[in-house]
Amino acid sequence: MGETQSDQEDRTAKPPGTAAKPPRGAGRHPGRRALLIGGAVAAVGTAVLARDELARLWWRVPGVEKPRTPGAVDFPGATWVAASSANYRRADRPDDYAIDMVVIHVTQGGYESAVKAFQDPGHQAAAHYIVRQRGDITQMIRELDVAFHAGNRSYNERSVGIEHEGFVERKSSFTDVMYTNSARLTAEICRRYGIPVDREHIIGHVEVPGTDHTDPGRYWDWDRYMTLVRRAHRTAA
């Protein structure tokens, strides 16, 4: 077999006939004490992970899960249209996962096409809500559950996703009534879970780490939207 570059560097770095010194600690075996300590640390880490997972699964015990009414919505005035169960994970938030964020999306299409996609089990993605250009709000996943909307597991678990009908490259997609009603929805979500009304906790899909999406895009008026959210939040309080 041929030599690697590192083999060549090692050979030329030492004077001919000089025996290389073994690395410090070479040939030593970890003592029993070290093994015991390492095992204890690993056991504690495993126990913490197991406890954390159990804390999130406690509600699966029969009779513990929050009651659910078919067709019920979390936001008054929203219309229920169920997404495919393949596009979200059943949970019991905020008891198993704290909710501290709202993620703003744009559908890149019409309302009907978004609903169709979220009801398709092969799509593997859906948001909790869709806000139409005419202001109607559709809820497709309960806020209790983890929607696959952000492309980041941690962000999915901690957030509520809101889609907006339209296209990122069309400023006309974002109507007055859409801004107003979406802001009311976001304000209510923030009030319900104690989410700060700021841009660190109300973000665009483009701001989610690891995403390749650009929504809501340059035409989404963040200053206007946040003003409306704050106003609705104060009114609700």
Side-chain angles (χ1 to χ4, degrees), residues 131-145:
V131 182
R132 303 187 69 171
Q133 291 177 347
R134 66 189 194 190
D136 303 40
I137 296 175
T138 298
Q139 182 168 5
M140 299 194 69
I141 299 171
R142 290 293 305 276
E143 292 174 13
L144 291 165
D145 298 324

Side-chain angles (χ1 to χ4, degrees), residues 3-62:
E3 295 179 325
T4 65
Q5 182 178 1
S6 60
D7 291 332
Q8 295 168 347
E9 290 172 348
D10 287 343
R11 188 153 50 82
T12 56
K14 305 179 192 64
T18 302
K21 294 182 179 180
R24 187 175 183 179
R28 297 179 183 176
H29 299 285
R32 182 171 181 272
R33 179 181 176 82
L35 289 173
L36 288 174
I37 292 174
V41 170
V44 170
T46 302
V48 169
L49 290 173
R51 183 184 62 191
D52 186 54
E53 188 63 22
L54 286 173
R56 290 173 174 168
L57 296 179
W58 68 271
W59 59 271
R60 292 184 182 272
V61 176

